[in-house]
Amino acid sequence: MLALALLAFPAFAASPGVTPTEVTVGTHLDLSGSLARMGIAVRNGLKLGFDEANAKGGLWGRKLTLVIADNGDDADKALAAQKGELSPERIFAVLAPVGTPPVAATMPGFVNAGVLHLFPFTTADETYVPSQPLEFALDLPIQEQVHVGLRALVNSGQRVGVLFGDDAYGHAVLHAVEHELEKRHLRPPIAEPFKTKSLARQIAALRADGVQIVVLGGGGQDALTAMRAVRARRWSPSVLCLEACYVPQVPTLGGRSVTGLYAVATTPIPYPADSDPALRAWVKRYESRFHTVASAEAFRAYLDTRLFAEVLRRAGPNLTRARFARMLEAMPPWRDPVYGGVPVDFTTRDHLGFHTGFLVQARDGRWINFASTQSKR
């Protein structure tokens, strides 16, 4: 069926960034700012994936070339890169850029110039809403993350509370929980702002209101602080955080205080002692190459390159941006044949690829897969 669809496409002139021997892909990452840990991990994952694809001969005789710009988590720096090394006349696609402000600033310019914008590391809705022909996103939105977590944990008799940071992310989590509970015809959540100096008082208020499930609208450090405060009061609610705190440092640094903490994830953290031999081998290759610990962001970026290469393979030798985009839409749900993972599924009407997540729990200094659940499209 896909082959017939491809035959129906008209012939296109070669897209910028494509020559008979090369496909040039660009990305902008934070390599020097507040998100540098993530940006460096994503850079490493992209490099490893492209190097492995090139070692096998590339795709249709073309080598994959990666151009990387440091956006410093700054929109102006990203815009400068868009006018320079990431000029739409030089690249075929933008792959896995990092950071909401830089992505929001540059995405319209890339898309208006006809450049594919693929799999950014941000949960911002504008990366896939409204659906644009060349925009494809993967990150599970905050609303869907909350849905995945509460679907697995909450029942009609439980009281839900939210401990949220007083920032855009914290308020987005609060609104998502409110929406999810309303949709389930459950009582609204008890909400408390996350303030480190008065955290004990906020924890006490949630406990006094009979809260049994606490959703945390914060990142990894917030999770560590909140769990220590909860344990200090000898309280044992179920505490759920989202992907923002799904990092290896939380169970490693938190120890017993974070045991039982839940998080929502879409890409597993690649632990060296993982039971999956393919993942163990990947960790060994990654850490040998970059002399640093592998992370979920690095692995997600690596998987992005494998998806990108698979779409190139299916698109055939007459590569154009439009042909690539239509192939992404036409492919059936895709799971990596070696590493598995959450299925990626795009359609002509829906350019958000992840619609499912899994629940993990902190135990024995690491995250353990707790349960899997499907988020409705």
Side-chain angles (χ1 to χ4, degrees):
M1 184 175 178
L2 290 177
L4 292 176
L6 285 175
L7 290 175
F9 291 158
F12 292 95
S15 293
V18 178
T19 72
T21 59
E22 187 177 36
V23 178
T24 301
V25 177
T27 193
H28 56 93
L29 315 166
D30 182 3
L31 302 178
S32 59
S34 60
L35 297 178
R37 182 194 62 80
M38 179 190 296
I40 291 169
V42 171
R43 177 198 65 189
N44 293 348
L46 294 175
K47 281 186 173 183
L48 185 61
F50 276 15
D51 287 351
E52 289 183 0
N54 288 332
K56 296 176 182 178
L59 279 302
W60 298 105
R62 294 186 175 104
K63 179 181 76 171
L64 303 181
T65 297
L66 182 63
V67 178
I68 301 171
D70 178 11
N71 65 33
D73 196 28
D74 181 271
D76 290 336
K77 288 184 178 180
L79 287 168
Q82 188 177 45
K83 296 176 182 178
E85 62 263 53
L86 301 183
S87 167
E89 291 77 32
R90 300 179 60 186
I91 60 174
F92 173 72
V94 176
L95 179 64
V98 171
T100 299
V103 167
T106 56
M107 185 174 63
F110 283 124
V111 173
N112 290 339
V115 178
L116 288 156
H117 197 272
L118 306 175
F119 324 146
F121 277 71
T122 172
T123 57
D125 291 350
E126 57 263 35
T127 58
Y128 63 95
V129 178
S131 181
Q132 301 286 340
L134 300 178
E135 292 177 0
F136 295 85
L138 285 179
D139 276 10
L140 201 62
I142 290 171
Q143 183 65 59
E144 292 299 301
Q145 293 180 45
V146 167
H147 172 73
V148 167
L150 291 185
R151 182 179 181 181
L153 296 179
V154 74
N155 61 50
S156 59
Q158 292 177 306
R159 207 68 218 271
V160 177
V162 183
L163 193 59
F164 66 99
D166 190 17
D167 54 21
Y169 177 77
H171 284 277
V173 172
L174 173 59
H175 294 326
V177 174
E178 291 172 337
H179 177 74
E180 182 67 22
L181 295 180
E182 181 182 7
K183 191 169 62 176
R184 294 170 176 272
H185 306 291
L186 300 176
R187 289 178 292 178
I190 305 296
E192 287 286 341
F194 186 103
K195 296 180 180 179
T196 304
K197 292 183 179 180
S198 58
L199 186 56
R201 188 164 63 247
Q202 290 141 20
I203 295 292
L206 291 171
R207 184 177 187 178
D209 283 322
V211 167
Q212 296 161 289
I213 298 173
V214 178
V215 181
L216 179 63
Q221 185 57 55
D222 297 326
L224 289 171
T225 303
M227 289 300 290
R228 287 167 181 156
V230 165
R231 300 307 184 213
R233 299 193 69 85
R234 300 184 183 278
W235 187 33
S236 301
S238 296
V239 181
L240 169 70
C241 58
L242 306 182
E243 281 196 298
C245 71
Y246 179 56
V247 293
Q249 292 88 345
V250 168
T252 301
L253 298 177
R256 293 178 62 183
S257 68
V258 301
T259 296
L261 173 67
Y262 295 97
V264 176
T266 53
T267 303
I269 291 175
Y271 289 104
D274 198 280
S275 59
D276 184 339
L279 194 52
R280 286 202 311 273
W282 182 85
V283 171
K284 185 175 181 179
R285 295 199 308 276
Y286 180 92
E287 295 186 351
S288 174
R289 166 80 182 274
F290 299 108
H291 307 290
T292 188
V293 176
S295 68
E297 295 94 345
F299 189 50
R300 176 26 231 283
Y302 174 80
L303 294 178
D304 288 351
T305 68
R306 289 174 60 84
L307 173 58
F308 180 81
E310 176 62 17
V311 180
L312 286 183
R313 185 187 69 80
R314 297 190 187 203
N318 299 320
L319 180 62
T320 66
R321 292 162 173 165
R323 191 179 184 88
F324 184 99
R326 293 192 184 185
M327 178 54 66
L328 262 180
E329 296 172 339
M331 285 172 57
W334 187 81
R335 289 168 61 96
D336 191 284
V338 175
Y339 302 100
V342 175
V344 178
D345 184 16
F346 297 105
T347 69
T348 55
R349 296 183 178 182
D350 186 358
H351 281 195
L352 177 63
F354 280 163
H355 297 88
T356 185
F358 55 92
L359 204 62
V360 294
Q361 193 172 40
R363 292 193 177 278
D364 301 321
R366 61 172 289 177
W367 292 103
I368 304 295
N369 193 347
F370 178 79
S372 296
T373 184
Q374 181 75 27
S375 174
K376 294 181 181 178
R377 297 191 66 164

